[in-house]
């Protein structure tokens, strides 16, 4: 969705590398993000400071109790209900989705009240760690991006959910089977599941392309039937993308490039999706070894580097490109993003015809993915585990996964029954056909691959070090092999550190 903040991909393209800002748009790109917290009646006007217990703060800074919140809203005070404190990031400033969703939940669960405690997304992870360190963490914890589950587990912020999953027969027999195994795998460590994906997509690898522009240039299109929304994946290889990019640029009357061929996706999501097509990766599956300097990873880096430095088809990072501006205005023909087809529809309107393609197949001979998500977990110290479990189920339900996406708050739910639902198909015909059929459908596509990350919980350290060094490849300052060797030394040293 069109975001008012800078997306992770835009942020990295501009050279910004602050550890938290890297994750601004992992899987959630709302139409607008407020700069200050909304003040719903179910949330405190201000969050407790992480430096002192709430009981020692001025009354104006203490979290409102459920009774106080209800009184302030002129609502009848509910008695006998358990209040579940839920941490998440600021979204939905008019409460158009969360308001009705929570109201419906509380009507169906009269003994549970949800107290929202929302933070700016860039601050949320550190806020949660601070609250946990002072014993003030809530009952339900939003996970900014899936790899952070390791740090939250290692720092005893969250607890395993296996007991709840196994004892909830209806959930384990039905809902549990709907989640993509590749996404659940990212939240599974030491044989236990520590969280759930709230949303999900195959990775930052969706190739949105301007059909009218490429046709006018006489260039080949990705092999899709645009009337039926079908795709012939056997005819979509990395060489086919290169054939398009060779002549995709258009030079303006001033002699400068007016339209570039592609805006690649870099950073941890976008780069890994390409490396895996060549058999490479950032990290091994158990998160103990850096793989950036393997021959396969270097080949993937070379492919990306060529888009900028050989083909000259990629938008220069020095321009700090924003896809929400340059794709609708036809200053780039192809943009590589996450599952944001709905946003593209809104931004492009009837300006030109466009479609989406899965990533081209590389030397491994099959689709390569890095299933991505943000998630939700249960705090280690909650005194209301059964009630917190019900809130987690609400936030990972089929209805939630469809509704939140259609409301414009981010990626769809990471469940098969979300992507095959008639309502979702109507709202997202391209994602529900071309992307689902070729990358997600368990009957047709290879299993989605998990998001590999350092096992010691130092995801931010490792990914930022990697991004800093690899950026010089995209800028043409270093050769892929040189940068890969440098990145390996820096990142492996981080992965060898004690747990976070």
């Amino acid at each position: 969705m069109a975001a008012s903040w800078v997306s992770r991909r835009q942020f990295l393209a501009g050279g910004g590398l602050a550890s938290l800002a890297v994750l601004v748009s992992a899987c959630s790109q709302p139409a607008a993000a407020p700069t200050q917290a909304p003040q719903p009646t179910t949330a405190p006007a201000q969050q407790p400071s992480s430096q002192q217990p709430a009981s020692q703060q001025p009354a104006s800074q203490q979290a409102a109790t459920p009774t106080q919140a209800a009184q302030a809203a002129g609502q009848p005070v509910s008695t006998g209900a358990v209040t579940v404190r839920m941490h998440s990031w600021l979204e939905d400033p008019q409460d158009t989705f969360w308001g009705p969703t929570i109201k419906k939940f509380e009507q169906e669960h009269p003994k549970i009240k949800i107290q929202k405690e929302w933070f700016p997304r860039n601050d949320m992870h550190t806020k949660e760690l601070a609250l946990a360190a002072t014993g003030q963490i809530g009952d339900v914890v939003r996970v900014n991006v899936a790899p952070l589950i390791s740090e939250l587990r290692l720092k005893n912020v969250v607890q395993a959910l296996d007991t709840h999953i196994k004892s909830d027969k209806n959930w384990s027999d039905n809902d549990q089977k709907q989640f993509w195994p590749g996404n659940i795998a990212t939240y599974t460590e030491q044989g236990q599941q520590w969280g759930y994906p709230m949303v999900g997509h195959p990775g930052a690898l969706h190739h949105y392309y301007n059909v009218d522009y490429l046709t006018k240039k006489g260039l080949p299109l990705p092999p899709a039937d645009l009337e039926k929304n079908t795709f012939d994946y056997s005819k979509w290889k990395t060489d086919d993308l290169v054939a398009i990019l060779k002549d995709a640029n258009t030079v303006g009357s001033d002699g400068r490039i007016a339209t570039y061929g592609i805006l690649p996706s870099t950073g941890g999501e976008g780069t890994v999706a390409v490396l895996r097509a060549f058999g490479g990766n950032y990290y091994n599956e158990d998160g103990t070894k850096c793989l950036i300097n393997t021959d396969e990873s270097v080949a993937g880096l070379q492919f990306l580097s060529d888009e900028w430095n050989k083909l000259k088809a990629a938008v220069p990072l020095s321009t700090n490109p924003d896809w929400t501006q340059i794709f609708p205005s036809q200053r780039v023909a192809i943009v590589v993003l996450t599952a944001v087809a709905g946003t593209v529809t809104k931004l492009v309107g009837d300006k030109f015809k466009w479609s989406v393609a899965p990533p081209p197949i590389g030397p491994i001979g099959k689709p390569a993915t890095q299933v991505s998500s943000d998630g939700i977990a249960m705090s280690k110290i909650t005194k209301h585990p059964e009630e917190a479990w019900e809130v987690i189920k609400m936030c990972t339900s089929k209805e939630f996964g469809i509704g939140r996406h259609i409301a414009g708050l981010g990626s769809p739910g990471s469940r098969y029954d979300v992507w095959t639902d008639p309502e979702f198909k109507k709202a997202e015909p391209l994602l529900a056909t071309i992307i689902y059929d070729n990358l997600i459908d368990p009957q047709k596509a290879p299993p989605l691959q998990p998001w590999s990350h350092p096992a010691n919980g130092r995801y931010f350290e490792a990914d930022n070090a990697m991004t800093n060094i690899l950026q010089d490849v995209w800028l043409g300052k270093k050769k892929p092999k040189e940068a890969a060797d440098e990145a390996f030394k820096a990142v492996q040293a981080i992965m060898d550190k004690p747990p976070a």
Side-chain angles (χ1 to χ4, degrees):
M1 310 309 136
S4 63
W5 59 68
V6 180
S7 75
R8 172 169 50 229
R9 285 158 289 284
Q10 295 162 2
F11 187 87
L12 294 179
L17 296 168
S19 62
L20 286 172
V22 173
L23 300 170
V24 164
S25 67
C27 304
S28 180
Q29 295 175 300
T35 57
Q36 294 185 355
Q39 303 298 324
T41 58
T42 55
Q46 290 182 299
Q47 300 303 332
S49 166
S50 62
Q51 302 302 314
Q52 59 182 358
S55 61
Q56 297 177 13
Q57 295 177 345
S60 62
Q61 295 182 14
Q62 294 182 27
T65 66
T67 299
Q68 292 169 336
Q71 290 173 336
Q75 299 172 348
V77 177
S78 176
T79 59
V82 168
T83 297
V84 173
R85 291 172 56 219
M86 178 183 178
H87 300 310
S88 189
W89 63 71
L90 293 170
E91 60 181 1
D92 193 18
Q94 305 305 316
D95 218 22
T96 54
F97 171 74
W98 276 102
T101 298
I102 290 178
K103 181 179 180 180
K104 180 175 183 289
F105 173 86
E106 291 179 343
Q107 289 173 341
E108 295 173 347
H109 301 79
K111 294 298 184 180
I112 305 175
K113 297 296 179 184
I114 297 176
Q115 179 175 312
K116 297 188 301 181
E117 297 184 6
W118 271 205
F119 306 104
R121 187 170 185 183
N122 284 359
D123 299 334
M124 185 185 70
H125 183 66
T126 52
K127 292 278 190 181
E128 290 174 341
L129 292 178
L131 287 171
T134 56
Q136 299 180 77
I137 192 71
D139 304 285
V140 175
V141 180
R142 189 76 176 267
V143 183
N144 203 327
V145 287
L148 293 178
I149 198 67
S150 288
E151 183 179 5
L152 294 173
R153 176 183 66 83
L154 290 165
K155 291 183 175 178
N156 290 315
V157 179
V158 300
Q159 62 177 280
L161 299 175
D162 299 74
T163 299
H164 299 283
I165 296 170
K166 293 175 182 176
S167 63
D168 193 329
K169 183 171 176 55
N170 183 60
W171 178 267
S172 60
D173 287 349
N174 297 287
D175 294 79
Q176 186 74 14
K177 299 175 182 178
Q178 292 296 332
F179 292 92
W180 308 338
N183 212 346
I184 292 295
T186 306
Y187 295 87
T188 302
E189 298 180 350
Q190 296 185 325
Q192 294 181 294
Q193 185 177 328
W194 300 84
Y196 272 102
M198 274 182 64
V199 303
H201 53 76
L205 43 70
H206 305 67
H207 285 56
Y208 298 88
Y209 60 98
N210 186 327
V211 173
D212 289 348
Y213 176 82
L214 296 178
T215 300
K216 184 177 180 180
K217 292 278 290 184
L219 297 171
L221 295 173
D225 184 324
L226 299 178
E227 299 301 321
K228 298 179 180 179
N229 288 340
T230 58
F231 197 86
D232 187 350
Y233 219 158
S234 67
K235 298 179 180 179
W236 183 231
K237 307 292 195 299
T238 49
D239 287 345
D240 297 310
L241 176 58
V242 171
I244 295 173
L245 297 181
K246 283 181 178 178
D247 298 306
N249 290 356
T250 293
V251 178
S253 57
D254 60 357
R256 303 168 69 178
I257 297 176
T259 302
Y260 282 90
I262 192 168
L263 177 61
S265 178
T266 55
E269 281 183 293
T271 304
V272 168
V274 175
L275 300 191
R276 286 181 172 178
F278 287 78
N281 207 336
Y282 271 13
Y283 319 109
N284 64 349
E285 289 185 3
D286 63 12
T288 58
K289 185 175 181 181
C290 179
L291 301 178
I292 193 64
N293 66 336
T294 64
D295 290 345
E296 295 81 3
S297 293
V298 172
L301 295 177
Q302 186 67 60
F303 179 82
L304 275 172
S305 175
D306 286 349
E307 293 184 345
W308 276 286
N309 303 305
K310 180 180 179 180
L311 299 171
K312 308 292 184 182
V315 182
L317 300 184
S318 59
T319 66
N320 194 24
D322 178 352
W323 79 267
T324 67
Q325 299 295 320
I326 64 175
F327 187 68
S329 62
Q330 303 193 68
R331 285 178 282 162
V332 66
I334 303 171
V335 60
V336 185
L337 303 165
T338 60
V340 293
T343 301
V344 177
T345 299
K346 294 176 183 177
L347 294 175
V348 172
D350 59 0
K351 296 174 186 176
F352 56 86
K353 186 174 184 179
W354 61 274
S355 190
V356 63
I361 293 176
I364 65 169
K366 60 182 180 181
T369 55
Q370 179 183 267
V371 62
S372 303
S373 70
D374 62 75
I376 196 162
M378 187 185 300
S379 76
K380 186 75 172 286
I381 65 172
T382 179
K383 295 180 180 179
H384 310 295
E386 295 304 323
E387 291 81 5
W389 170 243
E390 293 300 320
V391 174
I392 288 174
K393 290 197 297 180
M394 174 194 77
C395 293
T396 55
S397 67
K398 172 186 173 182
E399 293 73 21
F400 186 97
I402 297 172
R404 184 177 176 277
H405 178 67
I406 292 178
L409 299 184
S411 300
S414 180
R415 299 171 53 130
Y416 295 117
D417 55 1
V418 167
W419 288 64
T420 56
D421 185 83
E423 184 180 6
F424 180 76
K425 288 182 176 181
K426 181 179 179 181
E428 296 284 17
L430 292 174
L431 295 182
T433 53
I434 291 176
I435 298 302
Y436 182 82
D437 291 345
N438 292 281
L439 296 180
I440 301 173
D441 188 343
Q443 305 301 318
K444 302 177 183 178
L448 290 164
Q449 297 168 273
W451 193 338
S452 54
H453 56 280
N456 63 358
R458 298 181 181 273
Y459 170 74
F460 279 144
E461 288 183 70
D463 243 47
N464 288 343
M466 191 85 77
T467 299
N468 269 319
I469 296 169
L470 295 185
Q471 193 170 43
D472 281 343
V473 177
W474 322 142
L475 296 173
K477 296 180 179 180
K478 293 178 181 176
K479 298 295 184 183
K481 176 59 176 172
E482 174 192 6
D485 288 340
E486 181 182 342
F488 171 78
K489 293 178 182 178
V491 173
Q492 188 61 54
I494 294 170
M495 297 177 75
D496 289 339
K497 288 182 178 182

